[in-house]
Amino acid sequence: MPQRFKGAGVSPGAGYGPAKRLVRDVPRPDPDARHGGDAAAEAERAAAAMEETARALGELGERAGGDAAEVLNAQALMARDPALAEDVRKRVGEGASAARAVSEAMAVYREMLAGAGEYLAARVADLDDVRDRIVARLMGAPMPGVPDSDVPFVLVAEDLAPADTAALDPRRVVAFVTREGGPTSHTAILARSLGLPAVVACPGADTVAEGTMLLVDGATGEVAADPEPGVVETVTAAAQARAAAAAGAGGPGRTADGHEVPLLANIGGPKDLPAALEHGAEGVGLYRTEFLFLDRADAPGHAEQVAAYRAVLEAFPGGRVVVRTLDAGADKPLEFLPPGGRDEPNPALGERGLRMMRRLPETLDAQLAALAEAERDTDAHLQVMAPMVTDAADAEWFAAAAAKAGVQHAGVMIEVPAAALRARHIAEHVDFFSIGTNDLTQYTCAADRETGGLGRFQDPWQPAVLDLVAASAASAADAGRTCGVCGEAAADPLLACVLTGLGVTSLSMGPSALPLVRAALARAELAQCRAAAEAARAARGPEEARTAAAERLPGLAELGL
Ligand code: PEP
Ligand code: MG
């Protein structure tokens, strides 16, 4: 009997395969477990499990590359730590089983890390993962994390941690479905960057028996268990039609009647440039520079920053490159930035983004100086914007800092409802706006973007969010400023048309979303986008807004949207 589940489709495409669950629980060794008497053989078994775990982690790192490789290589080093090996050998010598010895030795190590300052304490989860892997190996239990399989499968999980996702092999995993997570969660952002069909906030799908055949539609958010004959073909054909339309759409972003909406890429650094160029980005609409600063004890130096910024500017001669200054705090903590001297019970409402830079202006000044230098001798048009700007005083302060450093075009992200409502005052100080719909939705609906189970409120289709987008775009137009969107909302082809109708002047998104958004815009006239925007704002909730918009954009039906 087929079963259907509905979640939020966050990365388009169809995937069909047997369900496989993310393994979280590893059996704990009995606290009294003893080996059978041959201590040397047991110690040998423990050493082999540790070495095999280190090797497997290293291989995973090699496959994943980039930042993930660094995390996984550091984990491999933990498994190979000589002091740990010695402690395990000693405990086995005293009679403990190999699994118990590893578990106990690592508990000591864990305590040391947890008490050794914030930076090392953050590695405790990585250490626990290493322990679980070694113990699972010794106890013959399934490896924690993404399961291994020779057959392509649909990964089903409560939620995915960044380390789980590092191990995702797109050749093995055909789609993923999570119970938790919202459209703006890091899980969703990652799915799009991998180009994997994904549905999040989908309760029920995680309860199907392992091996049940699942059909996942990452555009509509529908998940079918053991679908009827023919359904797989229909859903797959629709996804293929969308992919073909996307592949066929080239050139700059514009509506069917020629209204231009530049399509830009969201990137985390030069490593994302090939994908941006491949998918026809007309420039960069959001360079999230905090990736340069992550996982390090000090800020990158001037030369390193200049090189990372210049590489991006040089990739778009004559094009626009919008760089966001450091957005530290809340969901993006940085090790080297000293805490503000107080605990924050609600970090998302605390000192983050520009607020932190106002306390640490030398960090911002150094970044702005590097940006100004990077622009010299390139043909790109550099625009620099600040995150988490709340009011006109913030905008004025940032614009002055940018001007002092020699940055010619300063702008702000509109992510706080107060900024959207008073955009007219902010526009007096800066050249451009870029709406961060991920945070704007979080703050408008008072729903933490990292908390699962709040999907209805984490939806940029909420009419209240659309009202704030409209207010920002109108204030920008009145002041002769541009107003883009660089939140995940821009990656939703239907919503991209609505945003255009609301007066948004450019759309920036993860590179893999660009072709479908380009194809959608090409099938809508500006008047239809405006009618869809008006109807969506008149709706009483996100579902009604979506339906009302789709009715007014008939050209998108052939994309199955
Ligand atoms: C946003 O908030 O919409 C945004 C683009 O910034 P980030 O997702 O990096 O917070
Ligand atoms: Mg943001």
Side-chain angles (χ1 to χ4, degrees):
M1 175 68 183
Q3 257 186 307
R4 297 187 170 282
F5 307 97
K6 179 85 173 86
V10 293
S11 181
Y16 179 60
K20 268 193 167 281
R21 213 175 299 282
L22 186 83
V23 180
R24 278 261 179 261
D25 302 322
V26 170
R28 294 268 154 265
D30 183 330
D32 299 318
R34 299 181 67 80
H35 60 74
D38 187 346
E42 189 72 352
E44 187 57 34
R45 216 165 68 77
M50 290 162 79
E51 178 50 32
E52 277 161 27
T53 302
R55 199 179 34 73
L57 284 164
E59 277 174 17
L60 264 182
E62 227 165 83
R63 248 198 271 158
D67 298 341
E70 267 174 49
V71 175
L72 292 158
N73 286 335
Q75 282 187 300
L77 284 180
M78 292 175 184
R80 284 202 178 103
D81 186 285
L84 176 70
E86 181 50 33
D87 193 1
V88 169
R89 211 183 50 73
K90 191 169 128 267
R91 287 168 196 273
V92 171
E94 290 163 2
S97 72
R100 180 182 138 206
V102 167
S103 204
E104 288 176 355
M106 290 190 84
V108 177
Y109 210 171
R110 185 183 201 280
E111 214 159 287
M112 267 161 39
L113 268 189
E118 218 177 307
Y119 180 74
L120 289 175
R123 298 289 159 281
V124 164
D126 299 351
L127 182 74
D128 288 347
D129 182 49
V130 174
R131 177 202 57 208
D132 289 348
R133 286 168 186 275
I134 302 173
V135 168
R137 212 173 269 280
L138 286 166
M139 298 181 75
M143 219 24 85
V146 177
D148 246 353
S149 167
D150 294 334
V151 184
F153 61 95
V154 173
L155 181 68
V156 175
E158 193 167 313
D159 208 349
L160 293 173
D164 300 325
T165 49
L168 280 184
D169 178 352
R171 287 164 304 181
R172 296 266 161 71
V173 180
V174 294
F176 64 77
V177 184
T178 62
R179 179 190 186 88
E180 305 287 340
T184 58
S185 63
H186 294 135
T187 305
I189 294 173
L190 190 105
R192 279 190 285 271
S193 83
L194 288 172
L196 273 179
V199 174
V200 302
C202 187
D206 58 333
T207 58
V208 299
E210 185 99 355
T212 306
M213 294 306 285
L214 286 184
L215 173 63
V216 181
D217 186 335
T220 61
E222 272 154 25
V223 177
D226 293 328
E228 292 106 337
V231 174
V232 177
E233 289 72 16
T234 314
V235 169
T236 310
Q240 279 167 353
R242 275 195 290 271
R254 53 167 58 113
T255 59
D257 51 339
H259 173 73
E260 287 183 9
V261 189
L263 296 179
L264 311 168
N266 290 356
I267 64 167
K271 67 177 187 335
D272 298 330
L273 287 171
L277 293 166
E278 183 197 331
H279 292 108
E282 295 166 59
V284 169
L286 170 63
Y287 181 173
R288 289 184 163 104
T289 56
E290 49 284 351
F291 286 101
L292 249 183
F293 293 73
L294 276 180
D295 269 336
R296 26 201 310 171
D298 301 298
H302 181 75
E304 187 181 345
Q305 289 199 48
V306 172
Y309 305 146
R310 187 167 280 154
V312 175
L313 287 158
E314 282 174 347
F316 291 97
R320 172 186 342 180
V321 173
V322 184
V323 180
R324 175 173 75 189
T325 56
L326 202 46
D327 186 15
D331 59 325
K332 309 178 188 84
L334 292 184
E335 298 300 340
F336 74 90
L337 288 181
R342 54 188 174 269
D343 276 342
E344 292 191 329
N346 296 302
L349 300 180
E351 189 187 64
R352 55 164 299 204
L354 186 69
R355 297 172 182 184
M356 188 180 285
M357 292 302 103
R358 291 195 71 162
R359 183 170 59 80
L360 303 167
E362 53 300 339
T363 305
L364 179 69
D365 290 346
Q367 186 175 27
L368 290 168
L371 281 162
E373 179 166 341
E375 190 187 18
R376 250 167 255 144
D377 310 322
T378 71
D379 296 330
H381 177 68
L382 172 70
Q383 298 187 321
V384 181
M385 64 183 180
M388 267 307 270
V389 167
T390 306
D391 60 8
D394 267 358
E396 187 177 14
W397 185 88
F398 178 71
K404 195 172 103 216
V407 167
Q408 291 174 34
H409 300 283
V412 297
M413 288 193 73
I414 302 279
E415 325 189 74
V416 179
L421 290 167
R422 288 305 177 115
R424 64 184 186 284
H425 292 152
I426 291 178
E428 291 167 7
H429 302 288
V430 291
D431 287 353
F432 68 97
F433 296 162
S434 182
I435 305 179
T437 45
N438 307 338
D439 279 316
L440 185 60
T441 305
Q442 147 167 277
Y443 296 125
T444 303
C445 299
D448 190 327
R449 64 194 272 192
E450 296 298 311
T451 301
L454 297 176
R456 185 160 71 84
F457 300 120
Q458 289 156 333
D459 189 339
W461 280 96
Q462 279 282 354
V465 176
L466 302 179
D467 283 349
L468 291 176
V469 171
S472 312
S475 296
D478 287 347
R481 311 282 189 252
T482 55
C483 178
V485 165
C486 64
E488 295 303 311
D492 171 340
L494 189 60
L495 189 47
C497 295
V498 168
L499 294 170
T500 301
L502 291 172
V504 161
T505 57
S506 64
L507 297 165
S508 191
M509 64 207 77
S512 66
L514 286 162
L516 194 54
V517 169
R518 187 181 290 116
L521 276 177
R523 285 164 173 74
E525 292 184 357
L526 182 57
Q528 292 175 324
C529 294
R530 289 188 174 140
E534 204 178 308
R537 283 184 68 192
R540 283 176 171 62
E543 268 315 317
E544 195 186 318
R546 240 183 229 110
T547 310
E551 277 166 9
R552 281 149 185 95
L553 293 162
L556 272 63
E558 65 180 273
L559 300 176
L561 296 166

